[in-house]
Amino acid sequence: MMGKKSRIIMNRNARKQHVISEMHFRHFSDSNGNIYVYEKGKATRKSTPHNECVIKDYFECKLPGYETNFEVENRLGKLETAAAPIYRNLIAGRELTSVQAATWALYVSSLFLRSRKIREELSPGTYANFVSGQLETTTLRDDQWRIFNKFGRLIPLEEIREYKSRLVQTYADPALQQINSMNDSTPNLASALVSRHWQVVRPANGMYFVTSDAPVFTLRLHERGSSVGVGWGYKDTHIGFPLDPQHLFIASPTGVEWVSPIDETNTLAFVGTMAQFSYRHIYAHRDSEDIRAPMERHSGTILFGRDAYTVA
């Protein structure tokens, strides 16, 4: 299960694209290379990392004057290749170089932004806000003034509104929205990650971590417990990412130190949080009722844009 080397095969024309890195799922496979897939209300099924989170042309879009042409898929593949040995270093407790740390921060940030949960739950609200902002009267008047200053022509406000309405529809493609978000936000999220105190913790004795189709999670600790889905930019936000069943990477606020292995209560809390963040599926190295119970209770219970990372 652990200790296997991750292999990234570059395919410049890969139509079947992994929403979440296949390499990540390999770390949660059993000794036979199988991974167990949990979905609320359904029986656990056995699969392989290669067959999970695959969607045809997920990162592709073709618009007038713009075509992705596998650029995103190839870029992510290179990042996964660079991140592969860093998994092993983190699990082994080795200190990372500054280059490795920067690579890891970009990898984790991209995994967060590329999920279907981001595309289908958060991106539509973000896009709606973008469109609304572009068509606000004050924005249109600013556009009108800029045109007048540059060309000496006073264009009627409604004419500008109609033109911009047609223009913003160009950005309605879900893949393009997500790609733009990844391009704009990955460096910012990576910077927020680098600024924190990095730790790797183990679960309580006899317990283990799981992962999901939205494997990166955030939480804030307070006297009454924790709040999940808080923004990366808040200084008291913890950013977690399971490395394998026995190791959890967590970037915590400066000065916060986790004792490893963590206790049973915190192990269950982390597993529950991972389940809440999932889109549809939770993945584990085994079929167990210990996983089924929290999965049925917590899976997909938070909605991005409503309960977490609100865009209003």
Side-chain angles (χ1 to χ4, degrees), residues 38 40 117 210-215 217 228 242 267-283 291-304:
Y38 295 77
K40 186 177 288 187
K117 196 169 182 75
V210 298
T211 191
S212 80
D213 45 13
F217 63 89
V228 300
T267 302
L268 290 172
F270 276 130
V271 171
T273 299
M274 294 172 198
Q276 286 181 282
F277 264 73
S278 67
Y279 174 68
R280 288 182 181 171
H281 297 146
I282 291 171
Y283 300 93
I291 302 171
R292 168 66 55 185
M295 192 281 301
E296 289 288 352
R297 186 164 60 251
H298 298 297
S299 180
T301 52
I302 63 170
L303 181 67
F304 286 6

Side-chain angles (χ1 to χ4, degrees), residues 199-233:
Q199 303 166 74
V200 175
V201 299
R202 297 177 64 91
N205 186 40
M207 302 180 73
Y208 38 82
F209 299 121
V210 298
T211 191
S212 80
D213 45 13
V216 184
F217 63 89
T218 64
L219 57 86
R220 175 186 291 157
L221 303 177
H222 46 73
E223 292 181 358
R224 299 185 303 279
S226 63
S227 301
V228 300
V230 291
W232 292 47

